[in-house]
mmCIF file of all heavy atoms in Angstrom:
data_model
loop_
_atom_site.group_PDB
_atom_site.id
_atom_site.type_symbol
_atom_site.label_atom_id
_atom_site.label_comp_id
_atom_site.label_asym_id
_atom_site.label_seq_id
_atom_site.Cartn_x
_atom_site.Cartn_y
_atom_site.Cartn_z
ATOM 1 N N ALA A 1116 -18.770 -7.030 -20.726
ATOM 2 C CA ALA A 1116 -19.356 -6.301 -21.843
ATOM 3 C C ALA A 1116 -19.895 -4.943 -21.409
ATOM 4 O O ALA A 1116 -19.820 -3.960 -22.156
ATOM 5 C CB ALA A 1116 -20.470 -7.137 -22.470
ATOM 6 N N VAL A 1117 -20.421 -4.873 -20.188
ATOM 7 C CA VAL A 1117 -20.961 -3.612 -19.661
ATOM 8 C C VAL A 1117 -19.872 -2.555 -19.509
ATOM 9 O O VAL A 1117 -20.118 -1.349 -19.660
ATOM 10 C CB VAL A 1117 -21.650 -3.877 -18.295
ATOM 11 C CG1 VAL A 1117 -21.878 -2.575 -17.532
ATOM 12 C CG2 VAL A 1117 -22.957 -4.623 -18.509
ATOM 13 N N HIS A 1118 -18.663 -2.994 -19.222
ATOM 14 C CA HIS A 1118 -17.586 -2.047 -18.948
ATOM 15 C C HIS A 1118 -17.317 -1.118 -20.133
ATOM 16 O O HIS A 1118 -16.969 0.045 -19.944
ATOM 17 C CB HIS A 1118 -16.314 -2.791 -18.578
ATOM 18 C CG HIS A 1118 -15.166 -1.895 -18.235
ATOM 19 N ND1 HIS A 1118 -15.198 -1.000 -17.183
ATOM 20 C CD2 HIS A 1118 -13.938 -1.736 -18.816
ATOM 21 C CE1 HIS A 1118 -14.054 -0.341 -17.117
ATOM 22 N NE2 HIS A 1118 -13.289 -0.767 -18.095
ATOM 23 N N GLY A 1119 -17.503 -1.606 -21.350
ATOM 24 C CA GLY A 1119 -17.246 -0.769 -22.523
ATOM 25 C C GLY A 1119 -18.076 0.494 -22.556
ATOM 26 O O GLY A 1119 -17.546 1.616 -22.548
ATOM 27 N N PRO A 1120 -19.428 0.370 -22.559
ATOM 28 C CA PRO A 1120 -20.259 1.574 -22.603
ATOM 29 C C PRO A 1120 -20.386 2.301 -21.266
ATOM 30 O O PRO A 1120 -20.773 3.469 -21.253
ATOM 31 C CB PRO A 1120 -21.616 1.030 -23.057
ATOM 32 C CG PRO A 1120 -21.634 -0.379 -22.585
ATOM 33 C CD PRO A 1120 -20.228 -0.858 -22.718
ATOM 34 N N CYS A 1121 -20.092 1.609 -20.162
ATOM 35 C CA CYS A 1121 -20.307 2.207 -18.833
ATOM 36 C C CYS A 1121 -19.066 2.039 -17.956
ATOM 37 O O CYS A 1121 -19.117 1.397 -16.896
ATOM 38 C CB CYS A 1121 -21.507 1.557 -18.159
ATOM 39 S SG CYS A 1121 -23.026 1.611 -19.107
ATOM 40 N N PRO A 1122 -17.937 2.607 -18.338
ATOM 41 C CA PRO A 1122 -16.706 2.383 -17.570
ATOM 42 C C PRO A 1122 -16.727 3.016 -16.189
ATOM 43 O O PRO A 1122 -15.904 2.663 -15.339
ATOM 44 C CB PRO A 1122 -15.630 3.029 -18.461
ATOM 45 C CG PRO A 1122 -16.363 4.077 -19.244
ATOM 46 C CD PRO A 1122 -17.717 3.475 -19.503
ATOM 47 N N GLN A 1123 -17.672 3.926 -15.965
ATOM 48 C CA GLN A 1123 -17.748 4.602 -14.658
ATOM 49 C C GLN A 1123 -18.468 3.777 -13.595
ATOM 50 O O GLN A 1123 -18.412 4.118 -12.407
ATOM 51 C CB GLN A 1123 -18.450 5.959 -14.809
ATOM 52 C CG GLN A 1123 -19.976 5.911 -14.920
ATOM 53 C CD GLN A 1123 -20.521 5.538 -16.290
ATOM 54 O OE1 GLN A 1123 -19.818 4.968 -17.119
ATOM 55 N NE2 GLN A 1123 -21.774 5.883 -16.527
ATOM 56 N N LEU A 1124 -19.092 2.680 -13.975
ATOM 57 C CA LEU A 1124 -19.882 1.885 -13.037
ATOM 58 C C LEU A 1124 -19.041 0.748 -12.463
ATOM 59 O O LEU A 1124 -18.256 0.120 -13.163
ATOM 60 C CB LEU A 1124 -21.120 1.308 -13.718
ATOM 61 C CG LEU A 1124 -22.071 2.308 -14.368
ATOM 62 C CD1 LEU A 1124 -23.286 1.596 -14.923
ATOM 63 C CD2 LEU A 1124 -22.471 3.405 -13.389
ATOM 64 N N ARG A 1125 -19.249 0.468 -11.167
ATOM 65 C CA ARG A 1125 -18.552 -0.635 -10.498
ATOM 66 C C ARG A 1125 -19.587 -1.485 -9.752
ATOM 67 O O ARG A 1125 -20.627 -0.968 -9.310
ATOM 68 C CB ARG A 1125 -17.503 -0.121 -9.524
ATOM 69 C CG ARG A 1125 -16.363 0.609 -10.217
ATOM 70 C CD ARG A 1125 -15.382 1.170 -9.199
ATOM 71 N NE ARG A 1125 -14.615 0.116 -8.548
ATOM 72 C CZ ARG A 1125 -14.351 0.085 -7.243
ATOM 73 N NH1 ARG A 1125 -14.824 1.026 -6.437
ATOM 74 N NH2 ARG A 1125 -13.621 -0.896 -6.724
ATOM 75 N N PHE A 1126 -19.255 -2.763 -9.572
ATOM 76 C CA PHE A 1126 -20.255 -3.706 -9.099
ATOM 77 C C PHE A 1126 -19.757 -4.627 -7.996
ATOM 78 O O PHE A 1126 -18.561 -4.913 -7.881
ATOM 79 C CB PHE A 1126 -20.725 -4.573 -10.277
ATOM 80 C CG PHE A 1126 -21.343 -3.799 -11.386
ATOM 81 C CD1 PHE A 1126 -20.552 -3.327 -12.438
ATOM 82 C CD2 PHE A 1126 -22.689 -3.500 -11.378
ATOM 83 C CE1 PHE A 1126 -21.122 -2.588 -13.469
ATOM 84 C CE2 PHE A 1126 -23.266 -2.756 -12.404
ATOM 85 C CZ PHE A 1126 -22.470 -2.300 -13.451
ATOM 86 N N CYS A 1127 -20.746 -5.125 -7.242
ATOM 87 C CA CYS A 1127 -20.564 -6.258 -6.348
ATOM 88 C C CYS A 1127 -21.485 -7.362 -6.864
ATOM 89 O O CYS A 1127 -22.675 -7.393 -6.505
ATOM 90 C CB CYS A 1127 -20.918 -5.908 -4.912
ATOM 91 S SG CYS A 1127 -20.861 -7.338 -3.785
ATOM 92 N N PRO A 1128 -20.997 -8.244 -7.724
ATOM 93 C CA PRO A 1128 -21.847 -9.343 -8.205
ATOM 94 C C PRO A 1128 -22.121 -10.343 -7.084
ATOM 95 O O PRO A 1128 -21.233 -10.699 -6.314
ATOM 96 C CB PRO A 1128 -21.024 -9.970 -9.331
ATOM 97 C CG PRO A 1128 -19.622 -9.556 -9.075
ATOM 98 C CD PRO A 1128 -19.679 -8.248 -8.373
ATOM 99 N N THR A 1129 -23.368 -10.771 -7.004
ATOM 100 C CA THR A 1129 -23.804 -11.696 -5.961
ATOM 101 C C THR A 1129 -24.826 -12.653 -6.574
ATOM 102 O O THR A 1129 -25.627 -12.243 -7.412
ATOM 103 C CB THR A 1129 -24.466 -10.944 -4.791
ATOM 104 O OG1 THR A 1129 -23.581 -9.938 -4.318
ATOM 105 C CG2 THR A 1129 -24.826 -11.877 -3.658
ATOM 106 N N GLY A 1130 -24.777 -13.896 -6.147
ATOM 107 C CA GLY A 1130 -25.721 -14.880 -6.658
ATOM 108 C C GLY A 1130 -25.025 -15.888 -7.528
ATOM 109 O O GLY A 1130 -24.689 -15.606 -8.687
ATOM 110 N N GLY A 1131 -24.721 -17.056 -6.948
ATOM 111 C CA GLY A 1131 -24.012 -18.077 -7.683
ATOM 112 C C GLY A 1131 -22.498 -17.928 -7.648
ATOM 113 O O GLY A 1131 -21.784 -18.631 -8.368
ATOM 114 N N ILE A 1132 -22.002 -17.019 -6.787
ATOM 115 C CA ILE A 1132 -20.560 -16.823 -6.663
ATOM 116 C C ILE A 1132 -20.009 -17.859 -5.680
ATOM 117 O O ILE A 1132 -20.606 -18.118 -4.628
ATOM 118 C CB ILE A 1132 -20.216 -15.414 -6.171
ATOM 119 C CG1 ILE A 1132 -20.982 -14.351 -6.967
ATOM 120 C CG2 ILE A 1132 -18.706 -15.185 -6.268
ATOM 121 C CD1 ILE A 1132 -20.661 -14.309 -8.427
ATOM 122 N N SER A 1133 -18.870 -18.431 -6.024
ATOM 123 C CA SER A 1133 -18.244 -19.467 -5.205
ATOM 124 C C SER A 1133 -16.732 -19.341 -5.320
ATOM 125 O O SER A 1133 -16.232 -18.552 -6.145
ATOM 126 C CB SER A 1133 -18.681 -20.852 -5.687
ATOM 127 O OG SER A 1133 -18.077 -21.138 -6.935
ATOM 128 N N PRO A 1134 -15.981 -20.112 -4.529
ATOM 129 C CA PRO A 1134 -14.529 -20.067 -4.693
ATOM 130 C C PRO A 1134 -14.079 -20.452 -6.102
ATOM 131 O O PRO A 1134 -13.001 -20.054 -6.535
ATOM 132 C CB PRO A 1134 -14.031 -21.098 -3.665
ATOM 133 C CG PRO A 1134 -15.109 -21.139 -2.623
ATOM 134 C CD PRO A 1134 -16.381 -20.960 -3.380
ATOM 135 N N ALA A 1135 -14.904 -21.196 -6.812
ATOM 136 C CA ALA A 1135 -14.531 -21.654 -8.154
ATOM 137 C C ALA A 1135 -14.576 -20.534 -9.196
ATOM 138 O O ALA A 1135 -13.846 -20.580 -10.189
ATOM 139 C CB ALA A 1135 -15.448 -22.792 -8.596
ATOM 140 N N ASN A 1136 -15.437 -19.540 -8.985
ATOM 141 C CA ASN A 1136 -15.562 -18.494 -10.019
ATOM 142 C C ASN A 1136 -15.310 -17.080 -9.500
ATOM 143 O O ASN A 1136 -15.323 -16.124 -10.279
ATOM 144 C CB ASN A 1136 -16.943 -18.558 -10.690
ATOM 145 C CG ASN A 1136 -18.097 -18.344 -9.722
ATOM 146 O OD1 ASN A 1136 -17.909 -17.920 -8.582
ATOM 147 N ND2 ASN A 1136 -19.313 -18.648 -10.168
ATOM 148 N N ALA A 1137 -15.073 -16.922 -8.205
ATOM 149 C CA ALA A 1137 -14.901 -15.574 -7.636
ATOM 150 C C ALA A 1137 -13.750 -14.831 -8.296
ATOM 151 O O ALA A 1137 -13.860 -13.632 -8.602
ATOM 152 C CB ALA A 1137 -14.688 -15.665 -6.129
ATOM 153 N N ALA A 1138 -12.634 -15.509 -8.529
ATOM 154 C CA ALA A 1138 -11.470 -14.829 -9.087
ATOM 155 C C ALA A 1138 -11.745 -14.278 -10.484
ATOM 156 O O ALA A 1138 -11.206 -13.228 -10.863
ATOM 157 C CB ALA A 1138 -10.276 -15.771 -9.115
ATOM 158 N N SER A 1139 -12.588 -14.968 -11.261
ATOM 159 C CA SER A 1139 -12.882 -14.488 -12.614
ATOM 160 C C SER A 1139 -13.650 -13.177 -12.570
ATOM 161 O O SER A 1139 -13.493 -12.318 -13.457
ATOM 162 C CB SER A 1139 -13.663 -15.544 -13.399
ATOM 163 O OG SER A 1139 -14.947 -15.769 -12.842
ATOM 164 N N TYR A 1140 -14.488 -13.002 -11.555
ATOM 165 C CA TYR A 1140 -15.186 -11.726 -11.380
ATOM 166 C C TYR A 1140 -14.235 -10.652 -10.883
ATOM 167 O O TYR A 1140 -14.222 -9.523 -11.389
ATOM 168 C CB TYR A 1140 -16.331 -11.885 -10.372
ATOM 169 C CG TYR A 1140 -17.576 -12.553 -10.920
ATOM 170 C CD1 TYR A 1140 -17.773 -13.914 -10.781
ATOM 171 C CD2 TYR A 1140 -18.561 -11.810 -11.555
ATOM 172 C CE1 TYR A 1140 -18.925 -14.534 -11.258
ATOM 173 C CE2 TYR A 1140 -19.725 -12.419 -12.040
ATOM 174 C CZ TYR A 1140 -19.899 -13.770 -11.888
ATOM 175 O OH TYR A 1140 -21.033 -14.363 -12.369
ATOM 176 N N LEU A 1141 -13.435 -10.978 -9.878
ATOM 177 C CA LEU A 1141 -12.537 -9.991 -9.284
ATOM 178 C C LEU A 1141 -11.475 -9.502 -10.252
ATOM 179 O O LEU A 1141 -10.907 -8.425 -10.052
ATOM 180 C CB LEU A 1141 -11.885 -10.587 -8.033
ATOM 181 C CG LEU A 1141 -12.826 -10.812 -6.847
ATOM 182 C CD1 LEU A 1141 -12.149 -11.653 -5.776
ATOM 183 C CD2 LEU A 1141 -13.304 -9.481 -6.265
ATOM 184 N N ALA A 1142 -11.219 -10.258 -11.306
ATOM 185 C CA ALA A 1142 -10.238 -9.832 -12.314
ATOM 186 C C ALA A 1142 -10.781 -8.734 -13.220
ATOM 187 O O ALA A 1142 -10.011 -8.077 -13.920
ATOM 188 C CB ALA A 1142 -9.797 -11.038 -13.146
ATOM 189 N N LEU A 1143 -12.105 -8.525 -13.206
ATOM 190 C CA LEU A 1143 -12.707 -7.517 -14.079
ATOM 191 C C LEU A 1143 -12.445 -6.116 -13.531
ATOM 192 O O LEU A 1143 -12.503 -5.886 -12.316
ATOM 193 C CB LEU A 1143 -14.209 -7.750 -14.194
ATOM 194 C CG LEU A 1143 -14.655 -9.072 -14.831
ATOM 195 C CD1 LEU A 1143 -16.168 -9.203 -14.774
ATOM 196 C CD2 LEU A 1143 -14.157 -9.169 -16.272
ATOM 197 N N PRO A 1144 -12.213 -5.140 -14.402
ATOM 198 C CA PRO A 1144 -11.920 -3.782 -13.937
ATOM 199 C C PRO A 1144 -13.098 -3.078 -13.279
ATOM 200 O O PRO A 1144 -12.910 -2.105 -12.530
ATOM 201 C CB PRO A 1144 -11.498 -3.055 -15.215
ATOM 202 C CG PRO A 1144 -12.141 -3.824 -16.332
ATOM 203 C CD PRO A 1144 -12.131 -5.256 -15.874
#
Side-chain angles (χ1 to χ4, degrees):
V1117 164
H1118 182 61
C1121 305
Q1123 78 280 20
L1124 303 184
R1125 294 177 71 223
F1126 299 91
C1127 174
T1129 306
I1132 312 297
S1133 71
N1136 61 12
S1139 66
Y1140 283 94
L1141 291 169
L1143 297 176

